[in-house]
Amino acid sequence: MGNRKVKFGVVVYPGTNCDRDTYHVIKEVAEEEAQYLWYKDTDLKGSQVVILPGGFSYGDYLRSGAIARFSPIMKAIREFAENGGLVLGICNGFQILLEAGLLPGAMLRNRGLRFICRFVDLTVENDETPFTLLYKRGEKLRIPIAHIDGNYFATPEVMAELEKRKGIIFRYVNNPNGSLHDTAGIINSRGNVLGLMPHPERASEALVGSTDGLRMFLSAAKFVRES
Amino acid sequence: MIDKKLLEEHNLSEEEYTKIKDILGREPNLVELGLFSVMWSEHCSYKSSRIHLAKLPTKGKYLIQGPGENAGVVKADGKAVVFKVESHNHPSFVEPYQGAATGVGGILRDVFTMGARPVALLDSLHFGPLSKPANRAIMEGVVSGIAGYGNPVGVPTVGGEVDFEEEFSHNPLVNVMCVGLTERDRIFYARAGEPGLSLIYAGAPTGRDGIHGATMASAEFGAETEHKKVNVQVGDPFREKLLLEATLEVMEKDLIVGIQDMGAAGLTSSSSEMASKSGVGVELYLDNVPLREEGMTPYEILLSESQERMLMVAKKGKEGEIKSIFDKWGIDSRVVGKTTDDKRFRAIWKGKIVADIPVDSLAGDSPRYNRPYVIPEKDERLEDKWLENRDWGQVLKKILNSEHMASRHWVYEQYDHMVQINTVLLPGLGPAVLRIKGKTSGIALTIDANPAWGRSDPKKGAILTVAEAFRNLATVGAEPLGITNCLNFGNPEKPEIMGQFVETVEGMKEALEFFGVPVTGGNVSFYNETEGKAIPPTVTIGAVGLIPDLSVLPRPEKVKEGDWIYLLGWTKRDIGSSVYLKVIHNERGGKVPDINLENEKSLQGEIIRLVREGKVSFAFDLSPGGLLPNLSEALFSIGKGATLRVETDLEEVFYLFGESPSRAIIISPYRISAKVPVLKIGQIRGDELIVYLNGKKILQEPLNTIKKGWATYFNRLFDR
């Protein structure tokens, strides 16, 4: 496929607020192609990677991510994922993927019950996914979190299954929110849908504090280009 | 039908009522009385402050728009920076969460109404001491209200301050500043254009909330303030986010003549102010206004302060295009009136005219008062017992582990301070710094207030506050472009309060004229008084500066083992109104430090020069707390220890904890010289803080031990 740019689709729900940030990083920093996908759209316009960015879709009313999963674009995203397309959910995007059943488990309110915005340390647990192939297992990353519902929860069976298949991709070094098994990000069993609470797009430029998140986007682009 | 009691309920004086009758040539009806009441309230009309505010400088080389619009505008590296600070004090006392949340909502609208995308929020918060559970509840509510609104809208809260004084127990201060960025040729104003254009209402339906919010903010609180809960509005950040995106899209497509958000006095103020500024009239069709509740009266529709509403004047024939944009974002929009050529404010409901008033009398020609005032007496004390030597290590830890100095991370971590990925410096130290995407430059933002200065000497306090704000900017290499201000006071009908106000304005004027920096807007909050007890006069300064090159920005990560620590400026015998006195002597007064503005200006100029020459690893000014606490905070961020060797002829306390202005610390690997006094006082080294004073070791302790109380103070109070 040569060096052709990879086309990233950034989904915009009413209330999404990290769409512009994600778009900026893909286009200006990763130097790939980016396009917005409106929640009422029914197709993904040729996107090769779909990102559900952070924010407060539908104001997080009812439950974080609970309403977004009923939006028209969700059908297209589901089909895309079923066909092996790469889907990355960041923060609220992760919550939407959980609510939509594309990833297992659920988010509870943070232990401590408050919104937390700060840089945290993560470890890369699995470097054999399309989103982490440019990282090294055991590598420590500094990436910020910003959420109130980031306390990952799942049944003991699901947790055991996740552990067994190395489905927990990122773990917190110092668990900030009460997540089971220090989980910061997980992938589906097929290995093409990743959700994480930390914001890699906020850690992609040295000027704003870290570049540890950039390789997540670069990994996905590399994977697409080489497949 | 209109009697004394009714006038009292509307906060209108007998003279004001006579004036209303003269204007109309008849008795007003109840709707009209309500309109005058709100538009002539202190909150909307600035009737007590206007003649004094007129003394402030409003011109400068970076100025695009001064006071009188929804927000001020300055130019910065080819862009326009739109910014304003506003108070939401009264609502935040009555209902802390919603009061603060809607304060954020209102100031965001002020900025995007001007065509700018909001890029930052800052807030200056003042509460009563946290030893009282009631104050903790207010603080907790306010902080979660700011988070609960700002975070969903996606505007980072990048800086601010929180402090505590007894007088704020019943009158907390919530001053919120918003900063936006836009292109210089895409600024929108509150204009109505010509007669015959459609007025378009967009946003939330109108409810009964907030009716007479502006009047509430124009009277003292009594014991029965609880009943005023109905006056506080309820915010919906989700709708604000959609309104913001839709409004910016309408502006981008160039479909409107003018726009104003419906803030205090809602539909009435937005429509009458736009019309008055453009010399036209307005006719409102109240039956077209979307309502949240049934059975609302014209009085309620016109005066509602429901949130998340905008009023715009459409370009001819663009009504349909405007509507389709709002539809796309799921925002209700309707034509609710038109501009006319008769300069009247007319409201029509069910086929009847329910109000008919000359529009200028509501918006432009409200009463102005030159209220009597007496200049307050200054507290000039400097008592010998304050100067005694103590165990300075213990004192340092006590000060750092107090509500005045402890780490604010419990507060700012509840705010999303990184969304939009422009935040170059994390909150907690010094001014906020944002990059401007696509440029090498950045903007520096700060918000500063110090009620302790105002209480002892309002005029000097105002001068010091302006100087401190600019000094903050200087530490990141930024020169000030303009300021916005919030003036928080008690009841202006009392001559001693009015005297504080007059002195404060004089002080601001003196400092701003000296620095050549204009005021671009802001607000005045009077009647911060409960059961006769007023807050200390508090001027909040929000300043915006430009950093030409972010690559040389000093930041804690740049500091290396072995870097030198320099003290720049003049240390004098200043301990009055200090944190030291509050924490160690339980004394809240004393002489406010003198300031020499010439010295201050050279200091700032030299800091800016050194920063821009790339010689500075990190810099900070010595603000409240003084040398040892401020240096400790910086070391906590840097994550390294230091050894200090200081010599002084003064009593020790002045050097370690005194609060002389015109001072800053510069950390640098280079030899520093400047046109102001420079002392090399120490070196970055190890993980302990070691201090020698006149050759005698007064402190040696691991940084982590000193940090402990400081780092956990608010968690210990609030986390259960």
Side-chain angles (χ1 to χ4, degrees):
Chain A
M1 300 283 276
N3 286 323
R4 204 161 52 80
K5 289 189 175 186
V6 172
K7 198 185 256 189
F8 284 70
V10 177
V11 183
V12 183
Y13 295 98
T16 299
N17 66 23
C18 300
D19 44 338
R20 296 161 58 88
D21 300 358
T22 310
Y23 184 98
H24 164 82
V25 167
I26 289 166
K27 195 151 189 179
E28 309 296 334
V29 190
E31 297 185 337
E32 301 290 346
E33 209 177 306
Q35 63 178 344
Y36 291 115
L37 300 172
W38 187 237
Y39 75 111
K40 282 184 179 165
D41 291 350
T42 48
D43 82 288
L44 305 178
K45 298 178 182 163
S47 300
Q48 294 164 289
V49 182
V50 172
I51 302 186
L52 283 71
F56 292 71
S57 56
Y58 300 91
D60 273 359
Y61 294 146
L62 183 59
R63 219 169 43 241
S64 301
I67 304 178
R69 76 178 170 107
F70 295 110
S71 61
I73 199 155
M74 215 54 222
K75 188 167 168 276
I77 294 175
R78 197 183 294 275
E79 278 168 16
F80 179 72
E82 279 163 7
N83 290 322
L86 297 189
V87 179
L88 174 63
I90 301 168
C91 198
N92 190 234
F94 184 14
Q95 294 163 343
I96 295 169
L97 292 175
L98 292 172
E99 289 285 340
L102 286 169
L103 289 171
M107 284 300 170
L108 305 179
R109 188 128 291 199
N110 293 345
R111 170 187 66 197
L113 310 178
R114 292 200 172 86
F115 191 96
I116 309 169
C117 176
R118 74 163 89 107
F119 270 99
V120 297
D121 289 334
L122 308 174
T123 51
V124 179
E125 299 288 310
N126 180 343
D127 58 7
E128 291 172 7
T129 81
F131 304 96
T132 55
L133 51 88
L134 293 173
Y135 293 101
K136 285 218 161 45
R137 197 164 77 84
E139 192 180 340
K140 213 158 102 177
L141 311 179
R142 190 166 166 269
I143 299 184
I145 55 167
H147 60 247
I148 192 166
D149 295 317
N151 180 356
Y152 182 74
F153 180 83
T155 61
E157 294 75 32
V158 169
M159 290 313 295
E161 192 260 341
L162 275 173
E163 293 286 4
K164 193 165 158 240
R165 65 172 171 84
K166 297 190 167 53
I168 297 174
I169 308 303
F170 302 107
R171 277 189 230 266
Y172 299 112
V173 174
N174 296 303
N175 192 333
N177 53 24
S179 290
L180 287 181
H181 297 205
D182 302 325
T183 303
I186 59 170
I187 202 159
N188 64 344
S189 48
R190 182 166 180 172
N192 64 325
V193 178
L194 175 87
L196 79 165
M197 288 314 289
H199 284 268
E201 82 283 7
R202 297 185 182 186
S204 294
E205 292 164 278
L207 187 59
V208 292
S210 170
T211 53
D212 289 349
L214 180 61
R215 276 175 287 162
M216 221 170 292
F217 305 106
L218 298 179
S219 294
K222 182 173 157 71
F223 181 87
V224 169
R225 233 184 320 265
E226 290 175 2
S227 58
Chain B
M1 124 190 169
I2 286 162
D3 55 16
K4 218 170 167 169
K5 184 161 166 288
L6 201 58
L7 285 181
E8 225 165 78
E9 279 171 16
H10 282 82
N11 253 342
L12 284 165
S13 69
E14 296 271 359
E15 302 86 69
E16 286 167 343
Y17 183 58
T18 310
K19 194 174 167 195
I20 291 169
K21 284 192 291 189
D22 285 348
I23 288 167
L24 295 178
R26 60 176 164 82
E27 288 222 335
N29 62 34
L30 185 60
V31 176
E32 291 165 338
L33 188 76
L35 300 183
F36 278 110
S37 151
V38 179
M39 292 303 292
W40 287 10
S41 69
E42 189 64 57
H43 187 81
C44 288
S45 73
Y46 293 86
K47 57 189 169 190
S48 306
S49 57
R50 230 169 232 244
I51 59 160
H52 299 287
L53 295 177
K55 300 174 208 161
L56 295 173
T58 54
K59 293 206 162 52
K61 55 181 168 173
Y62 301 104
L63 189 85
I64 296 177
Q65 175 63 50
E69 277 292 334
N70 286 298
V73 189
V74 292
K75 47 191 159 187
D77 196 10
K79 294 266 184 181
V81 181
V82 178
F83 66 110
K84 192 185 184 187
V85 62
E86 208 163 72
S87 63
H88 231 215
N89 305 336
H90 294 87
S92 300
F93 176 57
V94 178
E95 214 293 86
Y97 184 98
Q98 288 299 343
T102 54
V104 173
I107 197 70
L108 283 168
R109 285 191 296 283
D110 278 334
V111 166
F112 72 78
T113 301
M114 304 282 298
R117 179 173 285 276
V119 296
L121 289 163
L122 298 94
D123 32 55
S124 169
L125 309 177
H126 293 269
F127 305 106
L130 294 179
S131 49
K132 292 185 183 164
N135 293 328
R136 292 209 286 273
I138 292 174
M139 172 165 167
E140 193 158 18
V142 165
V143 170
S144 39
I146 291 170
Y149 205 100
N151 296 355
V153 179
V155 179
T157 300
V158 296
E161 53 171 17
V162 186
D163 210 353
F164 307 86
E165 294 287 347
E166 180 54 46
E167 297 97 316
F168 297 118
S169 287
H170 291 97
N171 290 92
L173 298 188
V174 176
N175 292 182
V176 188
M177 171 174 168
C178 181
V179 182
L181 273 181
T182 188
E183 302 305 323
R184 283 168 60 181
D185 58 0
R186 202 182 295 145
I187 301 167
F188 286 80
Y189 296 101
R191 297 280 182 279
E194 57 196 274
L197 301 178
S198 300
L199 289 171
I200 295 184
Y201 172 122
T206 296
R208 288 197 169 96
D209 53 336
I211 291 172
H212 280 299
T215 337
M216 170 178 81
S218 305
E220 280 182 46
F221 281 156
E224 78 295 353
T225 308
E226 274 292 299
H227 300 285
K228 303 229 174 198
K229 264 202 181 146
V230 65
N231 295 135
V232 179
Q233 312 88 325
V234 177
D236 178 355
F238 175 52
R239 196 173 334 235
E240 177 100 340
K241 165 73 173 157
L242 303 178
L243 184 63
L244 182 162
E245 296 299 340
T247 304
L248 291 181
E249 195 173 324
V250 164
M251 290 166 161
E252 198 177 324
K253 304 221 163 108
D254 203 16
L255 304 173
I256 55 173
V257 171
I259 178 165
Q260 181 151 1
D261 78 299
M262 292 190 231
L267 190 53
T268 303
S269 65
S270 54
S271 59
S272 64
E273 284 172 13
M274 280 197 286
S276 174
K277 277 182 187 164
S278 294
V280 298
V282 281
E283 201 162 271
L284 296 174
Y285 313 119
L286 302 185
D287 302 289
N288 293 4
V289 173
L291 301 179
R292 198 160 64 209
E293 300 167 58
E294 281 188 29
M296 284 184 65
T297 63
Y299 183 99
E300 290 169 329
I301 297 167
L302 283 165
L303 294 181
S304 163
E305 292 184 12
S306 288
Q307 299 289 289
E308 293 95 25
R309 300 180 305 157
M310 283 283 183
L311 192 69
M312 55 206 88
V313 180
K315 284 196 166 168
K316 234 180 197 131
K318 300 292 186 191
E319 293 85 348
E321 256 179 274
I322 294 172
K323 186 165 169 37
S324 66
I325 291 172
F326 281 106
D327 284 351
K328 172 187 154 192
W329 288 98
I331 292 286
D332 197 357
S333 66
R334 305 189 196 177
V335 175
V336 295
K338 64 170 192 210
T339 56
T340 63
D341 60 6
D342 62 3
K343 297 181 85 169
R344 305 286 292 183
F345 175 93
R346 206 157 35 239
I348 294 160
W349 185 63
K350 300 199 167 163
K352 281 194 314 225
I353 295 176
V354 291
D356 189 356
I357 303 172
V359 74
D360 289 339
S361 68
L362 282 179
D365 305 337
S366 46
R368 276 160 215 214
Y369 298 127
N370 187 359
R371 295 197 188 274
Y373 62 87
V374 291
I375 301 299
E377 251 178 64
K378 297 179 183 65
D379 181 349
E380 306 239 271
R381 288 172 305 139
L382 176 61
E383 295 186 7
D384 289 341
K385 66 173 183 213
W386 299 343
L387 312 183
E388 290 158 10
N389 285 347
R390 296 184 165 239
D391 177 342
W392 298 124
Q394 287 305 322
V395 167
L396 173 63
K397 280 188 276 185
K398 202 167 170 191
I399 286 180
L400 288 171
N401 187 17
S402 75
E403 61 192 11
H404 300 294
M405 288 302 291
S407 166
R408 268 66 179 141
H409 74 87
W410 182 88
V411 176
Y412 62 73
E413 284 182 357
Q414 294 188 53
Y415 307 146
D416 188 339
H417 49 264
M418 300 184 204
V419 65
Q420 299 192 20
I421 45 174
N422 298 321
T423 311
V424 174
L425 288 184
L426 294 175
L429 266 185
V433 173
L434 303 184
R435 66 162 166 188
I436 304 175
K437 286 195 188 92
K439 294 191 181 273
T440 53
S441 58
I443 51 173
L445 311 171
T446 182
I447 187 165
D448 293 285
N450 189 337
W453 289 336
R455 181 166 39 211
S456 288
D457 185 340
K459 182 173 174 186
K460 220 192 305 175
I463 296 173
L464 286 167
T465 309
V466 171
E468 189 188 342
F470 295 170
R471 202 182 318 125
N472 267 329
L473 297 182
T475 60
V476 292
E479 62 174 311
L481 306 173
I483 70 138
T484 175
N485 69 101
C486 234
L487 299 162
N488 305 278
F489 290 82
N491 180 349
E493 295 158 48
K494 297 179 181 169
E496 60 276 23
I497 301 284
M498 202 57 213
Q500 296 171 348
F501 182 78
V502 173
E503 284 281 278
T504 301
V505 173
E506 281 298 329
M508 273 176 66
K509 171 182 144 76
E510 188 180 318
L512 291 171
E513 279 178 351
F514 181 83
F515 286 103
V517 176
V519 173
T520 65
N523 90 324
V524 180
S525 174
F526 279 128
Y527 299 99
N528 291 286
E529 196 157 334
T530 296
E531 290 171 31
K533 195 142 180 26
I535 61 160
T538 306
V539 51
T540 302
I541 301 287
V544 175
L546 178 71
I547 304 171
D549 180 6
L550 286 176
S551 70
V552 293
L553 181 72
R555 45 199 302 170
E557 309 88 84
K558 286 190 178 171
V559 175
K560 303 230 160 33
E561 179 90 10
D563 279 3
W564 300 108
I565 302 170
Y566 296 95
L567 170 61
L568 276 66
W570 297 263
T571 302
K572 296 184 175 161
R573 300 182 85 236
D574 297 314
I575 199 69
S577 306
S578 64
V579 175
Y580 176 81
L581 286 192
K582 286 182 212 171
V583 177
I584 305 298
H585 290 272
N586 195 25
E587 164 66 56
R588 318 196 85 74
K591 182 177 187 280
V592 173
D594 289 322
I595 180 168
N596 175 324
L597 286 175
E598 288 290 351
N599 284 351
E600 179 69 41
K601 201 174 187 172
S602 358
L603 175 83
Q604 292 182 15
E606 288 297 88
I607 301 170
I608 291 174
R609 175 181 65 79
L610 290 164
V611 168
R612 291 187 180 176
E613 285 172 2
K615 289 204 173 130
V616 182
S617 310
F618 190 59
F620 54 95
D621 79 310
L622 292 188
S623 53
L627 175 65
L628 274 195
N630 289 168
L631 179 69
S632 302
E633 285 181 311
L635 293 174
F636 299 153
S637 281
I638 291 165
K640 293 183 170 59
T643 301
L644 291 193
R645 285 175 196 281
V646 294
E647 310 284 329
T648 177
D649 304 332
L650 306 177
E651 288 88 339
E652 296 176 2
V653 70
F654 293 120
Y655 208 84
L656 303 174
F657 300 100
E659 297 186 2
S660 294
S662 313
R663 292 187 306 162
I665 295 284
I666 280 183
I667 302 177
S668 168
Y670 302 103
R671 175 202 290 267
I672 294 289
S673 59
K675 288 183 215 131
V676 296
V678 181
L679 281 174
K680 190 194 272 184
I681 59 165
Q683 195 172 21
I684 297 293
R685 218 163 74 183
D687 50 16
E688 287 183 317
L689 178 58
I690 305 170
V691 182
Y692 294 91
L693 184 65
N694 295 333
K696 169 187 81 183
K697 193 193 297 179
I698 58 159
L699 173 67
Q700 173 165 18
E701 209 154 344
L703 206 57
N704 276 338
T705 324
I706 304 172
K707 185 176 173 181
K708 215 171 198 171
W710 172 86
T712 58
Y713 185 86
F714 290 96
N715 299 83
R716 281 179 278 134
L717 273 180
F718 286 103
D719 291 347
R720 289 167 289 263

